Amino acid sequence: MDKLRITGQRTLQGVVQASGAKNAALPLIAAALLTAETVQLNNAPQLMDVRTLAKLLRSLGAQVEQDGGQIRLSAAAVNHYEASYELVKTMRASVLVLGPLLARFGQARVSLPGGCAIGARPVDQHIKGLQALGADIAVEHGYIVARVATPSGRLRGARITTDMVTVTGTENLMMAATLAEGETLIDNAAREPEIVDLANLLRAMGAQIRGDGTSQIRIQGVDALHGASHRIIPDRIEVGTFLCAALAARGDVTVQGAEPAHQDALLDKLREAGAQIDTGADWVRLRADALPGGRPRAVSVRTTEYPGFATDMQAQFMAVNCLADGAARMTETIFENRFMHVQELMRLGAQIDIDGHTCVVHGVPQLSGATVMATDLRASAGLVVAALAAEGETVIDRIYHLDRGYDAMEVKLRGLGAQIERISDRISGK
């Protein structure tokens, strides 16, 4: 199992290129199931999650070819409609094949995501919405079993109001509605840039969609969709992670290939912390080499749906607050159990108090290296940010979490001057 070894307190300087967004790429790949023609995606990140979903589509009979940042998908020969537990268990986003399979083929059998009880995460909103579109759905033996139950054999348009804002739920319902009869109205829709990116691909494929980027999306169903070519938007979470790393390590870093408009909430907080931020059409520069007192200011944050502060940036920003001057309250409103990185940060010397969904982070002048363990994707990124600023050597275990969402992170950080290497923990005879 690979680990990262980081020797901290190296100033980060230079230019780094943003990758395509993981959270955009996954629904875009699933959308290829909606047509028999070829869909080409450019600027695709080379990530574990992308490879997992590609493997899932191949298991359904689709052809998937990836050459660097380009993915070509053809679902012309799909003849299998089951997403097995073995493929879904490692990635919750695999449920995104449910809507496309149901819309185009009239049936789907998709494993519940691993460790997901109905209600704990909004998978129930996917089911509720698809039932409103005319699907007959049952949950049997750990699988969502769905069939189109209308006389025409097609889903039918409906007004859907989700009980909570759900990104993957909105995406699944959007894809399903593109081939439904009549108009679908999704109320309380997610507004993330990744939703807009999916809508842009679907429109290029012939879908009729309005209102993406707002809380109300209208979709007029069509008889069939066709192939298209599409460029995936930059990964705003990767961009934000590099900016937090630059602030924690008191660096001067420019992220190229970014979309600054997607970063407004984070950039406001980074400025409040004392960073100097400059932006251009496709770049963001953060300078932290002249912080007042040599430390960032403590800044409180509350995670919320876009355009608010992203839950996926909470761990990375907490790492910055660990080194800040003052104390900050960090409140998590999106996911349960998303403070698992706190104990690992405390191993590096952080002072953090947890009270339910809120942490109070008391900044300290310096963190010190230690061996820590990544517990999830964004927690691992938060540990990297902290390790880059810590004195001495930090070893981060279980970085397969990191590989799910960051494309060659250690290579990019080395290019900025970080002392970081991937090491393999190989046990003889195993």
Side-chain angles (χ1 to χ4, degrees):
M1 190 176 296
D2 287 358
K3 305 177 183 182
L4 285 180
R5 180 161 55 208
I6 301 170
T7 302
Q9 297 190 338
R10 302 294 194 273
T11 300
L12 302 185
Q13 291 184 322
V15 178
V16 64
Q17 183 70 31
S19 298
K22 174 185 86 80
N23 290 338
L26 300 179
L28 296 174
I29 291 170
L33 291 169
L34 291 165
T35 178
E37 298 183 15
T38 299
V39 172
Q40 179 173 305
L41 301 176
N42 301 311
N43 196 38
Q46 299 183 57
L47 301 172
M48 184 88 65
D49 277 8
V50 170
R51 291 190 289 272
T52 298
L53 191 56
K55 184 177 180 180
L56 173 53
L57 262 66
R58 290 189 188 101
S59 77
L60 302 175
Q63 293 183 341
V64 184
E65 301 173 1
Q66 183 164 7
D67 182 11
Q70 183 183 95
I71 303 177
R72 290 176 59 83
L73 306 109
S74 172
V78 167
N79 58 3
H80 189 62
Y81 315 110
E82 177 176 316
S84 71
Y85 175 69
E86 286 305 310
L87 289 171
V88 173
K89 68 180 179 180
T90 59
M91 188 177 66
R92 208 171 288 272
S94 300
V95 76
L96 286 167
V97 303
L98 177 61
L101 285 175
L102 195 57
R104 183 168 163 223
F105 301 103
Q107 60 181 302
R109 189 171 186 265
V110 178
S111 172
L112 289 170
C116 181
I118 291 291
R121 293 277 181 98
V123 178
D124 57 332
Q125 300 303 301
H126 301 233
I127 294 173
K128 172 188 171 183
L130 292 170
Q131 286 173 328
L133 293 174
D136 182 7
I137 300 180
V139 178
E140 302 173 351
H141 309 294
Y143 279 80
I144 302 169
V145 182
R147 287 186 176 273
V148 175
T150 64
S152 67
R154 290 177 62 189
L155 295 173
R156 60 171 182 265
R159 180 166 190 152
I160 303 166
T161 302
T162 59
D163 297 335
M164 64 189 76
V165 177
T166 160
V167 177
T168 54
T170 299
E171 291 164 343
N172 236 338
L173 298 176
M174 283 173 62
M175 290 188 283
T178 60
L179 295 178
E181 294 178 314
E183 183 178 82
T184 297
L185 179 65
I186 305 173
D187 268 326
N188 201 27
R191 297 189 285 165
E192 272 74 0
E194 294 79 14
I195 298 287
V196 177
D197 204 36
L198 174 59
N200 285 336
L201 170 63
L202 293 172
R203 277 190 289 263
M205 294 168 66
Q208 297 182 19
I209 302 174
R210 292 181 291 131
D212 46 294
T214 76
S215 61
Q216 189 176 83
I217 301 175
R218 289 183 183 273
I219 304 164
Q220 184 67 43
V222 298
D223 291 337
L225 297 178
H226 53 73
S229 180
H230 177 80
R231 182 175 176 83
I232 300 170
I233 60 172
D235 194 319
R236 60 193 172 99
I237 306 303
E238 183 197 42
V239 172
T241 300
F242 284 123
L243 296 178
C244 284
L247 178 53
R250 297 154 175 77
D252 180 352
V253 170
T254 299
V255 186
Q256 290 279 7
E259 176 48 77
H262 296 168
Q263 309 284 155
D264 285 344
L266 174 64
L267 295 184
D268 285 348
K269 293 296 183 181
L270 292 171
R271 289 189 182 101
E272 193 177 338
Q276 182 175 338
I277 304 287
D278 298 298
T279 63
D282 64 349
W283 56 269
V284 181
R285 181 182 183 186
L286 182 145
R287 280 179 278 183
D289 45 3
L291 289 171
R295 295 168 64 189
R297 290 188 289 270
V299 177
S300 295
V301 299
R302 180 183 179 86
T303 66
T304 187
E305 295 86 0
Y306 188 86
F309 191 93
T311 181
D312 280 354
M313 284 304 306
Q314 178 248 107
Q316 302 90 309
F317 202 82
M318 183 180 290
V320 173
N321 271 331
C322 287
L323 291 155
D325 184 10
R329 291 176 62 86
M330 304 194 66
T331 304
E332 174 60 51
T333 72
I334 305 299
F335 290 125
E336 69 282 357
N337 299 326
R338 202 151 203 191
F339 285 146
M340 291 188 289
H341 47 279
V342 168
Q343 295 300 323
E344 303 305 306
L345 288 171
M346 291 173 68
R347 285 182 53 78
L348 300 176
Q351 295 184 12
I352 306 171
D353 300 320
I354 303 179
D355 182 10
H357 294 289
T358 299
C359 283
V360 178
V361 184
H362 304 275
V364 297
Q366 181 172 281
L367 299 175
S368 58
T371 298
V372 293
M373 181 177 68
T375 53
D376 60 61
L377 169 55
R378 304 307 174 185
S380 60
L383 294 176
V384 170
V385 171
L388 290 168
E391 180 272 329
E393 182 179 281
T394 298
V395 175
I396 304 175
D397 201 356
R398 296 178 66 183
I399 62 163
Y400 61 85
H401 290 295
L402 198 72
D403 294 334
R404 287 185 47 226
Y406 289 90
D407 188 349
M409 179 185 242
E410 72 274 17
V411 176
K412 292 183 178 184
L413 286 171
R414 271 200 302 272
L416 296 174
Q419 188 171 334
I420 178 172
E421 63 177 332
R422 181 180 292 255
I423 55 177
S424 294
D425 185 21
R426 303 191 184 280
I427 301 175
S428 176
K430 295 189 178 181

